[in-house]
Amino acid sequence: MSKEQAEAWEARTETWAGVDVNEFQRQVISEFRANSGKMSGMFEGWKLAVLTTVGARSGLHRESILGYLEFDGKGIVVASANGADKHPAWYHNIRRNPIVTVETGTDTYRAIAATPPGRERDTLFDRVIAEAPGYAGHQARTTRAIPVVVLHRIGPRPGEERVKGMGDWIVEVHDWLRQELRTLRTQADRMIEGGTDPIDRTRPDLAQQMRAHCRDFCGALTKHHGGEDMAVFPMLAKQFPALAPALAQLGEEHTVVARLQDDIQRLVDGFVPGETDPVRLRADLEQLAERLESHFGYEEETIVTALNATAPAPGFG
């Protein structure tokens, strides 16, 4: 939005007294769709997009026609509300549910809407007003820091291959941990059945193998959850406020899982074949497995989409 376009917009809004603004939006959206995003009249030459959100209170789909920019391949919209002192309704919607649909006239895609805070927001807003100076006037009319919203595309662009994301990598880590836990349970089953390895005096016995395996598993799980608590979850909570309650719950579950790990590690470390009851150990392993499966499933449902849209998989592992 240029300065001249912003002034034209302001002049137009002065004539809206008594006008059904929702009906006006519907007319603009209809023209936008009918002409593949090319507008006439007051919007001629503007880069616009239709943003479909889910109402924070109603749960219904809501459509808004907005100015649209693109930085570094990502869509950008600005919650300016023409400089009003309150955030627009669509912004409240994405704070509750960040999954949106974006129509640019030539492309329609699902996205997850991030609201960068602090300095990152300020840097983005500087880029916005460098490209669309009219937004500087909007900011001058209000004391609120106008949010800049980054639309992270979910999935590849048409014709492009899907790139493995951080969320995919998290799922792979979970699957590895699931397999490790299955191995521990299998070892416990063999102890209950009285099974032994083929005679090979150079190999550790089953109890020793299980102790080593348990230490590796518990160490990997602790490191994984620590990385999420220290880096992944805080980053997501800042970018996607709607995820904050779920992320807090996941962090609390990490504490519960850690206690279960400690109990199991003590049982495994103190296991003496022929003296310790392997049935109790197997039951505790099953409890940990059930808790972890529920935790992993909820975590994957909650954060994988956001991680895939915002970060590539690490270049290792």
Side-chain angles (χ1 to χ4, degrees), residues 55-230:
R57 295 182 179 178
S58 69
L60 301 176
H61 286 90
R62 303 299 190 190
E63 296 176 343
S64 304
I65 187 85
L66 304 171
Y68 182 80
L69 304 170
E70 193 167 291
F71 296 156
D72 307 320
K74 299 181 182 67
I76 304 290
V77 290
V78 182
S80 70
N82 202 36
D85 288 330
K86 294 182 178 180
H87 296 312
W90 65 262
Y91 179 73
H92 292 292
N93 293 346
I94 66 167
R95 297 273 296 186
R96 177 66 62 85
N97 185 344
I99 304 297
V100 300
T101 299
V102 184
E103 301 173 55
T104 67
T106 57
D107 185 19
T108 298
Y109 62 94
R110 291 178 70 241
I112 183 164
T115 53
R119 292 182 180 178
E120 188 177 353
R121 174 267 171 200
D122 296 342
T123 299
L124 276 172
F125 194 71
D126 287 344
R127 292 185 68 179
V128 166
I129 60 177
E131 189 164 326
Y135 287 114
H138 293 185
Q139 182 62 85
R141 286 198 293 275
T142 180
T143 56
R144 69 182 175 96
I146 291 175
V148 181
V149 177
V150 182
L151 304 171
H152 295 273
R153 181 186 290 263
I154 298 172
R157 293 177 180 273
E160 294 182 356
E161 292 186 5
R162 185 179 182 279
V163 176
K164 181 179 174 183
M166 174 66 83
D168 300 318
W169 182 77
I170 289 287
V171 173
E172 289 180 358
V173 172
H174 287 175
D175 286 344
W176 181 84
L177 290 167
R178 288 176 173 119
Q179 181 57 52
E180 292 296 290
L181 192 51
R182 280 194 291 269
T183 300
L184 279 172
R185 286 182 288 174
T186 298
Q187 290 175 328
D189 288 338
R190 292 178 62 197
M191 287 181 176
I192 292 171
E193 295 165 0
T196 58
D197 291 325
I199 296 175
D200 182 352
R201 303 305 181 188
T202 65
R203 297 181 61 192
D205 63 29
L206 189 55
Q208 291 173 318
Q209 292 179 48
M210 191 172 189
R211 279 193 287 272
H213 200 99
C214 190
R215 281 193 293 271
D216 290 345
F217 166 77
C218 289
L221 183 58
T222 299
K223 184 177 180 180
H224 171 61
H225 282 170
E228 290 180 329
D229 290 336
M230 294 296 292

Side-chain angles (χ1 to χ4, degrees), residues 271-307:
F271 188 86
V272 178
E275 297 181 14
T276 306
D277 181 8
V279 175
R280 179 189 170 190
L281 175 59
R282 181 61 173 81
D284 285 351
L285 282 170
E286 192 62 35
Q287 182 185 5
L288 176 61
E290 290 175 359
R291 172 73 71 167
L292 274 180
E293 188 52 53
S294 174
H295 173 73
F296 287 163
Y298 182 58
E299 184 169 291
E300 289 164 9
E301 178 183 340
T302 302
I303 69 172
V304 164
T305 296
L307 285 174

Side-chain angles (χ1 to χ4, degrees), residues 30-43:
S30 179
E31 179 185 351
F32 175 90
R33 287 173 173 160
N35 296 285
S36 299
K38 295 181 180 179
M39 305 296 292
S40 60
M42 66 174 290
F43 294 114

